[in-house]
Amino acid sequence: MLKYHYLLLILCSVPFKLLATSPIESNGLADFTDFSDIGVEITPSLAINYKYDDNIANVSSNKTASKLVEIIPALRIVGQKYNNQFTLNYAANKNLYSESESSNFTDHQLQAGIKRAVNRRHTLALLYQFEQGHDAPNTGISEGSGQVAEPAVFYTQNIDLNYRYGSQSSTVTLTPRIRFNNKRYDEDNLNYTTAADFNEYDYGLAIYYRLAASVNLLVDMSHITTNYEDTNDSKDKDNANALIYSGINWDITGKTQGVIKLGYEEINFADNRRTTQANPSWDMGIRWSPKTYSIFNISVSQKIRNAITGSDSIETNNQSINWQHTWRYNLSSSLAYNHLDEVYQQSERNDDSHQLNMALNYQFRRWLTFGLSYEYQNKSSSDSRLAYDKNIYGLTSNFVF
């Protein structure tokens, strides 16, 4: 496993080093500070939604219902100069509950990215993401907290560095990647624990072999190291996860795109007392558009995920389907279903979750859209404290300036 880790790290690092030392063209990063010729598109928006949630604490009994208002301002900036593309996205989400002030929360998301095509064979992309988010009541570090409706605030950072060697017509394309992710919970949370704080390092390499203009065979390898920050015994949860996939992807313009990856996954813990877990793994995603105004998205996956509480790791099986349809130029709908089965390793716990989302949107003006929404959640668990079901009804509006 250690040799595999270092080999993958070397394969990922070499292309970035070669690119960094290659000559920069006159229209490259050297003159990127000259904004006179940059094309920039700026799109601010504001969503204001009025909803009714019949179970804000996510519990199975003694439910508390509440009206709530969602306020979601957002800003998107997209620009391009020569072979450089950049994006900046920001969104906030403020929820105000009429029956439980302690349930109020404000989330923030920031994403910044740049993509540079040095020439037709070399492409480099860097993406940074920051999120101030929260665990919903009775989930995450708040699992089993009963009637506590206060969300648990956390902060995450993600840095993705991706390199691509190969043009669209190349027989073989290499795409090494390096990713860093960390998560920290706010110390003011009622159920604060450092056991859920971690740093994660992911080194990966994908190899594509071109069969036809829109079809590729692929091999995808990754090695993920997770280090926990707890000063007590959760250091024993430090682990290394190795995955290898083979499969196929395709992109038939206007009709269907997709990827099917089948492989094997193994997670090893630093503490020998914890049991190594090894399973078959798969990751499939298909987008199908039988008509230009109707789109289906289907995804199926089985993966191993780190557990926050109650176990070493979780075997997750996830299936989802989404249908988006435009009935006329100003009327559209969406329907989505998701099923998640979670089997906790070295534990008797098993969770089964279902979620249904429906929305109908009417574009009243070019800059104003009204809508109706409905969401149903159902979770069953071998731990009865974690089971619940809920309904959320909404009236939505979205302004695009």
Side-chain angles (χ1 to χ4, degrees), residues 329-400:
Y329 73 95
N330 61 352
L331 183 66
S332 63
S333 66
S334 64
L335 177 64
Y337 170 75
N338 184 79
H339 171 247
L340 176 63
D341 181 60
E342 299 172 293
V343 179
Y344 285 70
Q345 304 303 300
Q346 311 305 315
S347 169
E348 296 181 356
R349 179 177 167 184
N350 187 5
D351 295 351
D352 194 58
S353 303
H354 302 265
Q355 183 170 328
L356 176 68
N357 293 82
M358 295 187 291
L360 181 66
N361 295 305
Y362 174 70
Q363 189 172 5
F364 181 69
R365 292 287 186 270
R366 179 191 59 80
W367 48 272
L368 176 59
T369 301
F370 294 112
L372 301 171
S373 68
Y374 170 72
E375 179 178 342
Y376 173 72
Q377 297 179 22
N378 176 277
K379 181 177 181 178
S380 60
S381 175
S382 53
D383 185 342
S384 59
R385 300 173 303 163
L386 309 180
Y388 71 90
D389 66 277
K390 68 189 301 181
N391 299 275
I392 305 175
Y393 309 88
L395 299 173
T396 64
S397 64
N398 188 55
F399 303 81
V400 178

Side-chain angles (χ1 to χ4, degrees), residues 145-265:
S145 300
Q147 296 296 323
V148 176
E150 182 175 335
V153 177
F154 61 76
Y155 309 93
T156 65
Q157 293 187 88
N158 296 273
I159 301 174
D160 293 358
L161 183 60
N162 294 273
Y163 168 74
R164 175 179 174 176
Y165 176 76
S167 65
Q168 292 183 348
S169 60
S170 297
T171 302
V172 177
T173 300
L174 304 177
T175 58
R177 60 186 181 269
I178 300 174
R179 296 173 181 167
F180 169 76
N181 172 43
N182 76 351
K183 186 174 187 178
R184 299 290 184 272
Y185 278 89
D186 195 296
E187 296 183 8
D188 293 332
N189 292 324
L190 291 177
N191 298 285
Y192 173 70
T193 172
T194 58
D197 295 345
F198 64 84
N199 295 325
E200 187 175 84
Y201 307 88
D202 181 354
Y203 313 102
L205 173 66
I207 305 172
Y208 298 89
Y209 180 81
R210 184 169 175 262
L211 288 180
S214 57
V215 181
N216 298 281
L217 296 178
L218 67 89
V219 175
D220 194 335
M221 301 170 287
S222 65
H223 186 279
I224 304 170
T225 301
T226 306
N227 298 321
Y228 287 86
E229 294 297 301
D230 195 8
T231 56
N232 297 317
D233 66 347
S234 78
K235 280 291 185 183
D236 297 340
K237 289 176 63 178
D238 290 358
N239 61 76
N241 190 337
L243 302 93
I244 182 166
Y245 290 116
S246 62
I248 187 171
N249 73 342
W250 67 92
D251 184 354
I252 302 174
T253 305
K255 282 297 181 181
T256 178
Q257 301 87 37
V259 59
I260 297 176
K261 298 192 293 186
L262 305 174
Y264 187 76
E265 182 174 14

Side-chain angles (χ1 to χ4, degrees), residues 4-20:
Y4 173 83
H5 167 73
Y6 284 116
L7 176 60
L8 195 54
L9 177 60
I10 293 170
L11 290 173
C12 291
S13 303
V14 169
F16 297 114
K17 178 66 176 177
L18 293 175
L19 186 60

